[in-house]
């Protein structure tokens, strides 16, 4: 079951990645971990595809994730606002199934090499997008905000 206390970041997708990071730093004092990403294979309702994903997480809390926009995908800006809420999940497939039962629609999934779900993006009936992230990835992902980098 997804719980409020499992929420660990707010995702913002930006057309101008550098300006967004700079604004959040200058105006609100956010500091950033290294920029991470690369080409990854994901599965959409239309099938498998490869996207070039790039993002940075704030070292400062509450944790923000700024993602460089990818035209033609779900990673496009949400009107200058919050793109998604990210939650840790002990069982991404089961939590996604629960959301689907509550009217959410699956947008993108990605599996780990062992076949377990790494992450899933689902959009709710009112437009809220949720990212479920496998808790097994927390030790590696936490390196994205363990120290400052050059975002």
């Amino acid at each position: 079951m997804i719980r409020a206390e499992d929420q660990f970041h707010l995702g913002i997708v930006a057309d101008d990645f550098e300006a967004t990071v700079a604004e959040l730093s200058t105006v609100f004092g956010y500091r950033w971990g290294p920029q991470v990403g690369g080409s990854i294979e994901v599965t959409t309702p239309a099938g498998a595809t490869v996207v070039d994903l790039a993002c940075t997480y704030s070292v400062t809390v509450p944790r923000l994730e700024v993602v460089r926009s990818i035209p033609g995908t779900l990673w496009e800006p949400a009107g200058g606002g919050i793109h998604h809420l990210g939650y840790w999940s002990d069982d991404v497939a089961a939590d996604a199934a629960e959301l689907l039962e509550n009217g959410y629609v699956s947008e993108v999934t990605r599996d780990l090499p062992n076949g377990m779900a790494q992450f899933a993006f689902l959009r709710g009936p009112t437009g809220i997008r949720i990212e479920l992230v496998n808790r097994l990835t927390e030790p590696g992902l936490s390196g994205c905000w363990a120290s400052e980098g050059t975002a």
Side-chain angles (χ1 to χ4, degrees):
M1 178 175 182
I2 305 164
R3 301 177 315 250
E5 56 267 24
D6 290 328
Q7 195 269 326
F8 73 101
H9 76 273
L10 295 174
I12 300 168
V13 175
D15 282 330
D16 191 335
F17 179 88
E18 290 78 10
T20 300
V21 168
E23 176 184 338
L24 292 167
S25 298
T26 301
V27 177
F28 300 107
Y30 273 92
R31 296 181 333 274
W32 303 94
Q35 183 175 319
V36 296
S39 293
I40 62 168
E41 185 173 326
V42 298
T43 303
T44 70
T49 189
V50 175
V51 295
D52 190 22
L53 196 61
C55 67
T56 186
Y57 287 89
S58 66
V59 173
T60 316
V61 292
R63 184 100 42 237
L64 299 179
E65 175 192 29
V66 178
V67 180
R68 188 179 305 277
S69 66
I70 307 171
T73 72
L74 75 93
W75 290 284
E76 292 186 289
I82 301 301
H83 179 265
H84 66 273
L85 303 173
Y87 288 84
W88 293 122
S89 172
D90 294 315
D91 187 338
V92 172
D95 289 340
E98 182 181 333
L99 290 174
L100 291 169
E101 289 174 14
N102 285 286
Y104 280 70
V105 175
S106 179
E107 293 184 304
V108 167
T109 60
R110 177 173 166 80
D111 290 339
L112 293 164
N114 65 9
M116 292 178 65
Q118 179 180 5
F119 64 76
F121 280 88
L122 299 100
R123 183 180 289 275
T126 62
I128 295 172
R129 180 177 283 130
I130 301 296
E131 178 188 18
L132 300 172
V133 180
N134 192 312
R135 194 180 303 274
L136 294 176
T137 66
E138 185 175 1
L141 192 57
S142 66
C144 294
W145 55 80
S147 62
E148 291 185 48
T150 54

